Amino acid sequence: MPAYLRPASQSEALAALAQGRLTVLAGGTDYYPARVGTPLADDILDISAIAALRGIREDADHWRIGATTNWSELIAAALPPLFDGLKLAAGEIGGVQIQNAGTIGGNLCNASPAADGVPPLLALDARVEIADTAGSTSVALADFILGNRKTLLRPDQLLTAILIPKPAHSARSHFAKLGAREYLVVSIVMVAATLEIEAGRVRAARIAVGACSPVARRLPLAEAALIGQTCDASLGAHARPEHLSPLAPIDDVRASGEYRRDAALTLARRVLNHLGAQA
Ligand SMILES: Cc1cc2nc3c(=O)[nH]c(=O)nc-3n(C[C@H](O)[C@H](O)[C@H](O)COP(=O)(O)OP(=O)(O)OC[C@H]3O[C@@H](n4cnc5c(N)ncnc54)[C@H](O)[C@@H]3O)c2cc1C
């Protein structure tokens, strides 16, 4: 009979993880669908009762989003325009039932190339906090996801929070997702961008594209091309096809690689035009 543990404290959870191979369960919206038709034999560590892992807090130099904060809680949270892109992504994750159960930490730990939470968090320069019985540390999200379904988490570790640094200038973000239909769909491409703006000009830009490589990627050349540009509704014209060089889109049932590349540029321009027009 498999074990099912549901501790109320993070320290109990970490002690249990250190003792043996337990499978972490948060909202279960990735875990259970991946096991349809197979007996559930894993020993489970359900982290949903650990209050310290849930909720959003503003600290002096960053925001801290607890790993088991679900997408609906994120959408409902009072957050500055910096988080608009992440909230838009949250609203496109499955339907409301999935958003009520699925967590931000689960989306990152599952490490799907089509995870909608990853591009907006890359565009927010997010770090992830990782804990084990020896203590906690943080790493850049870009270094945390190693490949398709691979992260650097060890079996005795939990992802405990996502940390978003406060930008130096006034900042806002945006997100766009392309699927085969409007809702309840796996992304063909998604693009997120954050712009830091001062006196009507771009001071810093972060653009990330998902579903066009095993791990969502930033576009450093496009980001550099935007610095100093005037913000208006044609800002997207500064994104060029050659800026997509970090991407390696594949042909699959949802789209060809060529279509994905074209759509990535179109979405990046739309997202930037939107942000430019709002500044
Ligand atoms: C119908 C449906 C539609 C969906 N639509 C979308 C969509 O549009 N976009 C999208 O991105 N996703 C979608 N998903 C996938 C899923 O809902 C999200 O990825 C969700 O955020 C996963 O969170 P969870 O808490 O349910 O993860 P779980 O299923 O609980 O866990 C996922 C994985 O992460 C591990 N894990 C979870 N939390 C931690 C932690 N804190 N520390 C260490 N390991 C942890 C688990 O062991 C497991 O391997 C959909 C799923 C369904 C069923």
Side-chain angles (χ1 to χ4, degrees), residues 24 26-31 71 92 94 98 103 107 109 116 159 177:
V24 175
T29 62
D30 274 315
Y31 175 80
W71 296 112
E92 299 223 23
I98 296 298
T103 66
N107 194 249
C109 292
D116 285 314
L159 188 156
K177 164 172 171 171

Side-chain angles (χ1 to χ4, degrees), residues 115-138:
D116 285 314
V118 176
L121 287 168
L122 286 175
L124 289 172
D125 228 0
R127 297 180 69 78
V128 294
E129 186 185 82
I130 295 170
D132 55 37
T133 50
S136 74
T137 183
S138 76

Side-chain angles (χ1 to χ4, degrees), residues 23-113:
T23 298
V24 175
L25 187 78
T29 62
D30 274 315
Y31 175 80
Y32 287 115
R35 286 158 182 82
V36 169
T38 56
L40 292 173
D42 299 328
D43 293 327
I44 294 289
L45 177 72
D46 180 339
I47 57 172
S48 63
I50 304 173
L53 291 181
R54 184 168 237 128
I56 301 174
R57 191 177 80 207
E58 182 176 354
D59 288 337
D61 61 352
H62 66 270
W63 281 269
R64 184 179 196 281
I65 305 177
T68 61
T69 305
N70 67 42
W71 296 112
S72 297
E73 289 164 342
L74 186 97
I75 292 166
L79 291 167
L82 175 66
F83 289 90
D84 287 357
L86 183 60
K87 285 191 172 196
L88 285 169
E92 299 223 23
I93 293 186
V96 171
Q97 296 93 332
I98 296 298
Q99 291 160 20
N100 286 342
T103 66
I104 189 164
N107 194 249
L108 302 186
C109 292
N110 193 57
S112 160

